[in-house]
Amino acid sequence: PDGCPNFNTRETCPPVTQSIQDIIARPYYLVGIKFDLASHANRLKMKHPHWSERQARCVLYYQARLNKQLWAKAEVFTRQLGSDFIIVKTPEAHGVDMFTLCQKNRIYLACDYLHQKYIYKFVIVGKQKN
């Protein structure tokens, strides 16, 4: 709610990062992955019966693996497009409101991690500006 927690402390975060318009040209592509958060949480709760629902759904237990899978999928897609296309792995750090962007493309995201079944995560692939 207060913006990037790493604002002005990492080179991959604002204000150091460039705007998305300075990095890629239109058209761009959204590459996404769907993750079954409910099943993941159930597996963790079976393994750790004393855990709460919140603990079982914590991003620390799936985010790195999900990012790796998403980036691998985006790499395959990018290779098909050509060498002048790049992946913007953290679009939010470049000023993109992913909820609004997805909604404009008829993809409706939720932000209720304690109750939603699936997580959708996206990167942007576009032609690199020179």
Side-chain angles (χ1 to χ4, degrees):
D2 299 323
C4 180
N6 298 307
F7 184 86
N8 210 21
T9 59
R10 293 185 182 173
E11 62 183 52
T12 56
C13 292
V16 179
T17 56
Q18 293 178 296
S19 170
I20 194 76
Q21 292 87 355
D22 297 334
I23 299 171
I24 61 171
R26 290 183 183 236
Y28 55 83
Y29 302 92
L30 287 174
V31 178
I33 195 165
K34 180 180 179 180
F35 177 67
D36 189 341
L37 180 60
S39 294
H40 170 77
N42 286 338
R43 281 192 304 275
L44 282 179
K45 286 183 359 186
M46 288 176 73
K47 187 176 180 181
H48 306 282
H50 60 281
W51 278 16
S52 68
E53 187 70 23
R54 187 179 188 96
Q55 285 174 301
R57 290 172 172 260
C58 179
V59 299
L60 295 174
Y61 303 113
Y62 67 85
Q63 184 168 265
R65 183 182 63 202
L66 187 60
N67 283 341
K68 187 176 180 179
Q69 291 171 355
L70 174 59
W71 297 341
K73 182 178 180 180
E75 285 285 342
V76 169
F77 181 71
T78 304
R79 279 196 300 273
Q80 294 171 350
L81 294 174
S83 61
D84 51 348
F85 282 80
I86 61 167
I87 302 167
V88 180
K89 292 181 177 179
T90 53
E92 299 88 348
H94 299 281
V96 179
D97 180 344
M98 290 303 291
F99 283 90
T100 302
L101 177 64
C102 287
Q103 188 174 24
K104 286 180 181 178
N105 289 283
R106 294 187 301 271
I107 302 167
Y108 301 98
L109 303 176
C111 191
D112 183 10
Y113 300 111
L114 283 177
H115 301 99
Q116 66 195 66
K117 180 167 175 54
Y118 298 105
I119 294 286
Y120 298 90
K121 203 161 170 141
F122 295 92
V123 294
I124 296 177
V125 173
K127 195 169 194 173
Q128 185 172 14
K129 283 190 172 179
N130 295 333

